[in-house]
Amino acid sequence: AKYHLAECYKNGMGTEKNIQESIRLFEESAKYIIDSARELSLIYYSGLDGVSKDLEKAKKYIDCVVSSGVATFPDQYRQMRLNRLLGK
């Protein structure tokens, strides 16, 4: 439920867009929901909606996704960029 609520805040679906609340909810669920870790990696990698780019945080969440063995990145281009960040 936290992942879906975070998506609503991130995209402004049914509520005001609030990236900080979205991040908080993604962080709470990132240990259990790999999609939350993926979203956090993309937010910190790209500096979405005024969030400061933070490659260390992006790498931390990318590592969570990669170690899960589940490839959940939405497109090949993002995957390539994230692989470069990981040094692959």
Side-chain angles (χ1 to χ4, degrees):
K2 286 184 182 183
Y3 169 79
H4 294 293
L5 184 55
E7 280 290 315
C8 289
Y9 279 115
K10 180 181 143 210
N11 298 308
M13 296 182 321
T15 186
E16 292 281 323
K17 198 170 187 176
N18 184 333
I19 194 67
Q20 294 305 318
E21 184 63 11
S22 178
I23 289 170
R24 184 185 73 76
L25 291 165
F26 281 138
E27 286 177 343
E28 286 181 9
S29 61
K31 289 182 182 177
Y32 312 104
I33 302 172
I34 205 64
D35 288 341
S36 292
R38 184 203 66 221
E39 289 298 324
L40 286 165
S41 71
L42 297 172
I43 289 168
Y44 286 121
Y45 180 81
S46 64
L48 183 69
D49 288 336
V51 173
S52 296
K53 284 187 178 185
D54 188 329
L55 297 182
E56 287 301 314
K57 283 185 180 179
K59 185 179 182 318
K60 169 186 163 185
Y61 290 112
I62 291 166
D63 288 343
C64 289
V65 174
V66 171
S67 69
S68 76
V70 178
T72 60
F73 293 99
D75 61 47
Q76 255 185 338
Y77 179 70
R78 283 187 175 162
Q79 184 67 50
M80 276 186 344
R81 289 187 331 190
L82 294 170
N83 283 342
R84 271 190 246 140
L85 179 64
L86 286 170
K88 292 184 175 184

